[in-house]
Amino acid sequence: MSYDMEVLRCKGVTAQYEAGNLAIRAVDSVDMTVRRGEIFGLAGESGCGKTTLMRVIYRDVTPPLRVLSGKVSLKVGDGEELDLYSIDKNTLMKIRTKMISYIPQGSMSVMNPTSRVKDQFLEVFRKYGRVDKEEVLREVRAKLSELGLSERVLQSFPHQLSGGMRQRTIICLATILNPSLVLADEPTSALDVVYQRGVVELIQKIRDMYKTSFIVVSHDMGLQYQVTNRIAIMYAGKIVETGSTEEVFRKPLHPYSEGLINSIPRIGGAKQLEGLAGLPPNLANPPPGCRFHPRCPYRMEKCATMEPPVFRVGDRTAACWLLER
Amino acid sequence: MSRLAVFIISRIIAFVLTIVIGVTIVFAIPRLLPYNPVEAQIGFIYSIGQFYDPTAIESLRQALYELYGLKGDPFEQYLAVWRRLLTFDLGPSIMNFPTPVARLIGIALPWTLGLLTFTLIISWTLGNVIGTIAGYLSNRRFSKFLTGVAVVLYPVPYFILALVLMFTFAFLVPIFPLGGGMTLVVENINLDLVLNLAKHAALPALSIIIPGALGWWFLSSFTLSTQKKTEDFVRYAELKGLRERIVLRRYLIRNILMPQMTALGLALGGIFSGALLTEVVYAYPGLGRLLYQSIINNDYNMIMGVSLLSILGVSTATLFLDLLYPLIDPTVRYR
Amino acid sequence: MVAIPRLGGDTVKTVSLGLFKFSHTFLDIFRYNRSFRTGFIIMAIVLALGVGVGSFAPTDPRRWYTDPPNRPPSLEYPLGTTTNGQNVFWFLTWSIRNSLLIGAITALVASHVGLILGMLAGARGGLLDRALMTVTDSFVVIPSLPTLILLAVLLRDVMSIPLMGLLISIFSWPWPSRQVRAMVLSMRERDFIATSIFSGYGLWGRVLRDYLIFILPWHLVNATNTVLFAIGSEAALAVLGVSILSETTLGVMIYWALNYSALFRGLWWWLMSPVVTIILIFVGLFLISRGVSEYSNPRLRWQARG
C-alpha cells in the first residue's frame, strides 16, 4: 500500500463535546486512511460518532465541539499534502468544494430555496473566478448528461424537484469541480428504495469517471454492502474493524461487526434475525477496557479491564482480544 | 383553475369586501351619532349674531342637506355615497367653498404620495438589509449598538420623532426649515426649485425613514435573520466555503425580503397614518395638513373625503402588494 | 411561569397563594431580565411623577396666569412656564396622569374584549368564527386613524377621558382577538381526544382551565402594548386638535405648544417636556413588555440571563 495511493489519512484523532463540566468523547484515537478512487464506508449505530468524525475531517469544528489531538492530512490532485488543521482559514475556504466536499446529513433543505439550480452551479464556479456564464453552463450541462441527469434540473427551483432528484443534484453540486474526496453523510436516509438506487449508481458513476474518493457514512448495512469498497465499523467513538467490504461482510472479525451484519435481512434467509442486546454506552463515562464488552457474547475477563489494541490480519484490522494469537 | 388564479380572485374579493365595509363604516358612523352638521352650521351662523330671513335660511338648509349628502332616507343616501365615490365627486369643500373636495385632495395628494413612496422604499430596503446583516453578525459591536437604538426607536410614533427632529435640526442647529413644502414660487423647474423642495422634505422624510429603517424594519429582519442563519441551507452555504458577503446577499437577504414584503402590506395602514401626522407637525402641504385644516374649520365633506380616500388608497396598495408577491417568491409562483 | 390556582375552594387561601406566586415571579423577572428592569424603573419614575408628585400641585395647572408667562426653566420654575402663565412642571404631571389613565382604560377594555372574543371564536368555530374573522381582517387593513378622527370630531362636545379610552378601544380589540383565536385553535389541535372525553370537562371548561394559563403571559404583553398604542393614538388625535381639550394629556400639551408656535418663538421647554416624557413612557412600557415576553419564552429566557 504505497502512500501515493492515499487521499486522506487520519492519525490519532480525538474530539469531544464539552458542556460545562461534562465532556462527551465522540471520537477517540481514530486512525483511518482512504485511498484514491475508493468508496469508503463508515458504519455503526446512531450516536457512535460517525458524523462527528466527518465534521472533524472537514474541520467543521465549533463549540461545544473541540478537537483534542490528532492529524488529518489530505492529499490533493498534484500530490501536495495538506495538514487540514494547520492551514489558515482562507486556504481552508478555498479547498472546500474544490478539493474536498461535504454533503451533510438531512440534505433535503440544503439548497437555497429562492435560487435556481443553475444559479447555484454558477455560484460554485464564481467562487473560483470563473465568471463566463455560457462556458460554465456548457460544462455543467455536459457533466450532468454524463451522469445521467436531465438538463431540466438546471432551470428548476429546489422545491420543484423530488427528494431523490434533489439529493442527486446536491451530489452533483458537491462534485462538479472534481474534488479528491467527498464526505457523504447518510446520503440515502430520507429516500425510498427506488431513489436510493439512483443515488448509489450516481456515486459509483462519479467514482468510475473521475476517480473521486467517497466516504459514505450510514447505519444502513445493506447500503454499505452495495456501494462501498472498503469499510470501517465504529463503536462508541472508536474504530473497531476495517477491511474490504466483501471480506468484512463474509467473515467479520469483531463481534460488533458480526452483530451488525447478522441483523441485515436477506432474501431467502430462513434464520431468525438477531439484534444486539443492550444499548450503546454513555460516552461521557464509557465502560473500562473494551467498550463493547458489556454487550459482547464472546467476552473474556481481559476485555473488562484492558482495552484491546488494533490487530492486523492481512489487509484488515480489528480491535478485539479474540485476535490475540 | 390554477392555484394562482384562485389566489388572485380570492384576494380581489377580499379587497372589495374590505372597501365595502370601510365605506359603510365611514357612512354609518356620523349618521348614528346625534350630530347634525347642517344644524351645527346654521347654529353657527346664528351665533355670529346676525338676523336672516327665515325663508333664506330654509333654502340654505335644503342646499346644505343636499351638499352634505343627507337628503332622502338612509338607503338613498348610501347609494348616493357610492355614486359619488365612483364618479370621484366628493362634494364641495365647506371651508373653500365652492372648490370641490376632489380638487383640493388632488392638489395635496402628490405631496403625500411622493413623500410616502420615497420614504417607504428607502426605509424598507435599508432597514431590512441592515437588520439582516446585524442579525447574522450578532456578536459584533455595531450589531448590539443598533439593536439598542432600535429598542428606543421602535415604540415611538413617527410624529413624536418628528418633533424631536424638528427641535434638533430646525431649532437648536437650524439646518432645515421649520416647516412647509417650499418657499419659492414655481416659475420654472430648475435646480433651485429641486433643492428647495428637498430641503423642506428632508425632515419629514427623515421622521419616517429613521424609525422605519432603524426601528421597525431593523428589528423584524434582525429577528428573522437570527432564526434563518441556523437553518440548513445557510449552514450548508457556509460549509461549502462561500464568503460571508455571498452568504448574506444571496442566502439571507434574499430569503428575508420575501416575507418582509408581506409584512409591508400589513404595516401600510399604520405607516400611512404616521405619515399624515408627520405632515401636520411640519405643515407639509399634503393630505395630513389638509385633514388638519378641515378639522379646524369643521369641513365635514373634506373630512369624509380624506377618510374615504385613505381607506381606498391603503386597501389598494395592500392588494397590489399581495398580488405582486407570488410573482416574486419562487416558492409560491412555481408549484 | 405563574400557575393560576384552581378557582373555587378556600378563597382567602387561593388569593394569598396567587399573590405570593405573582410577587415571586415579579421579583424573578426583575432580577434577571435587564429589559424588564430598565423599563420598570423608567415607568416607576414616570408614575411617581404623574400620580404621586402630581397630587401635590398647588393649584389646577390648567388655570392661566398662575405664574409669569414665557419663563425659561430655572430653579423657581423647573420646567419653565407657558404663554398663558401656566407652570409647565405641574402641567406635565397632570398630563402624565391623564395619558396613563386613558391608556389603562383602553387596555382594560380592548385587550379583554379581544381575549374573550378570541377564545369564543377559537372554541366555538362555525358562523361566529367566520363573522369575527371577516370583521377583524377588515379592521387590520383599514387605517384606523381617519375613522378615529371622524369619530373624535363628531364627539367633540361630549368627549371625556373614559370616552376617549372607549373610542380607541374600538380599534384595539380586533388584533388581540385574532391572535388569541389562533392560539386557542393551535392548542385544540394538540389535545388528545381521550383526555378531553375522559376528563369530563366540556370545551369551555378546558379553555378556561388549561388554555388560559398559556394565553395569560401573552395577554399581559398585549395589554402593555395596548397602553402604548392608546397613548400614541390619543397623542395623535390631540396634535390634530380633536382630543379632549378641556382636560390635559401629554398629547394635548403638545397641541397647545404647537398651536402657540412655541418652538418658533423659542419656548422649547413647553414643547419638549411632553415629547421627552412620551418617549420615556413608550420606551419604558416597551421594555417591560419585551421583558415579560422574553421571560415567558423559555428559550429566550436563558439568552436574556446573559
Side-chain angles (χ1 to χ4, degrees), chain A residues 9-69:
Chain A
R9 176 186 272 209
C10 299
K11 266 208 110 39
V13 174
T14 308
Q16 66 187 24
Y17 289 97
E18 298 170 344
N21 292 331
L22 215 58
I24 298 180
R25 194 158 286 193
V27 172
D28 201 336
S29 317
V30 160
D31 293 335
M32 197 171 88
T33 52
V34 176
R35 298 187 198 137
R36 195 161 131 73
E38 151 177 279
I39 302 183
F40 190 90
L42 193 55
E45 288 166 292
S46 314
C48 68
K50 316 190 292 284
T51 305
T52 313
L53 180 57
M54 286 296 100
R55 284 184 61 187
V56 169
I57 293 178
Y58 197 64
R59 197 171 156 186
D60 171 29
V61 178
T62 53
L65 179 62
R66 194 161 71 97
V67 173
L68 293 179
S69 66

Side-chain angles (χ1 to χ4, degrees), chain A residues 76-306:
Chain A
V76 297
D78 53 2
E80 187 193 338
E81 183 192 333
L82 290 172
D83 177 350
L84 284 180
Y85 278 84
S86 63
I87 56 177
D88 62 292
K89 271 290 168 79
N90 276 329
T91 322
L92 182 68
M93 279 197 357
K94 264 203 221 122
I95 65 167
R96 282 177 173 173
T97 313
K98 190 153 192 202
M99 316 255 162
I100 177 172
S101 257
Y102 184 37
I103 302 174
Q105 205 169 10
S107 20
M108 276 307 108
S109 45
V110 142
M111 290 197 280
N112 190 344
T114 51
S115 178
R116 285 186 212 263
V117 171
K118 77 168 176 13
D119 290 319
Q120 311 214 21
F121 274 101
L122 284 172
E123 190 180 69
V124 173
F125 280 89
R126 213 192 345 243
K127 180 184 168 203
Y128 295 100
R130 295 276 309 272
V131 288
D132 38 351
K133 275 200 203 163
E134 284 313 315
E135 217 189 292
V136 167
L137 281 178
R138 224 176 305 145
E139 241 184 76
V140 172
R141 274 194 212 107
K143 182 142 188 191
L144 282 185
S145 64
E146 268 178 2
L147 296 173
L149 264 93
S150 139
E151 263 189 43
R152 229 180 357 102
V153 159
L154 286 174
Q155 278 303 112
S156 322
F157 285 97
H159 65 273
Q160 292 175 292
L161 303 172
S162 70
M165 283 303 294
R166 238 181 288 173
Q167 185 70 322
R168 302 205 312 189
T169 313
I170 292 172
I171 295 178
C172 286
L173 261 173
T175 54
I176 192 78
L177 295 174
N178 289 332
S180 314
L181 177 66
V182 177
L183 310 173
D185 197 341
E186 305 277 4
T188 57
S189 324
L191 305 173
D192 48 22
V193 203
V194 180
Y195 286 122
Q196 276 187 25
R197 181 170 176 170
V199 169
V200 165
E201 285 180 352
L202 181 63
I203 292 180
Q204 287 170 332
K205 205 165 198 178
I206 296 178
R207 188 275 311 269
D208 292 339
M209 288 176 33
Y210 303 106
K211 291 274 170 290
T212 314
S213 307
F214 280 83
I215 299 184
V216 174
V217 170
S218 182
H219 59 273
D220 179 351
M221 295 310 284
L223 175 77
Q224 297 281 11
Y225 185 71
Q226 279 186 328
V227 78
T228 60
N229 310 122
R230 286 206 312 139
I231 189 168
I233 316 272
M234 246 183 122
Y235 182 78
K238 286 189 162 292
I239 302 232
V240 297
E241 177 161 1
T242 67
S244 88
T245 311
E246 187 77 43
E247 287 178 9
V248 172
F249 270 74
R250 198 166 14 104
K251 189 178 177 313
L253 292 176
H254 193 283
Y256 178 61
S257 325
E258 192 183 274
L260 270 185
I261 291 161
N262 284 340
S263 68
I264 303 174
R266 271 165 245 255
I267 296 179
K271 217 168 43 148
Q272 197 172 32
L273 289 176
E274 290 172 20
L276 283 161
L279 293 168
N282 175 4
L283 287 176
N285 197 6
C290 169
R291 293 201 179 167
F292 187 61
H293 85 260
R295 297 165 82 180
C296 183
Y298 305 106
R299 78 169 152 268
M300 312 182 286
E301 255 189 50
K302 200 181 220 181
C303 305
T305 49
M306 288 174 42

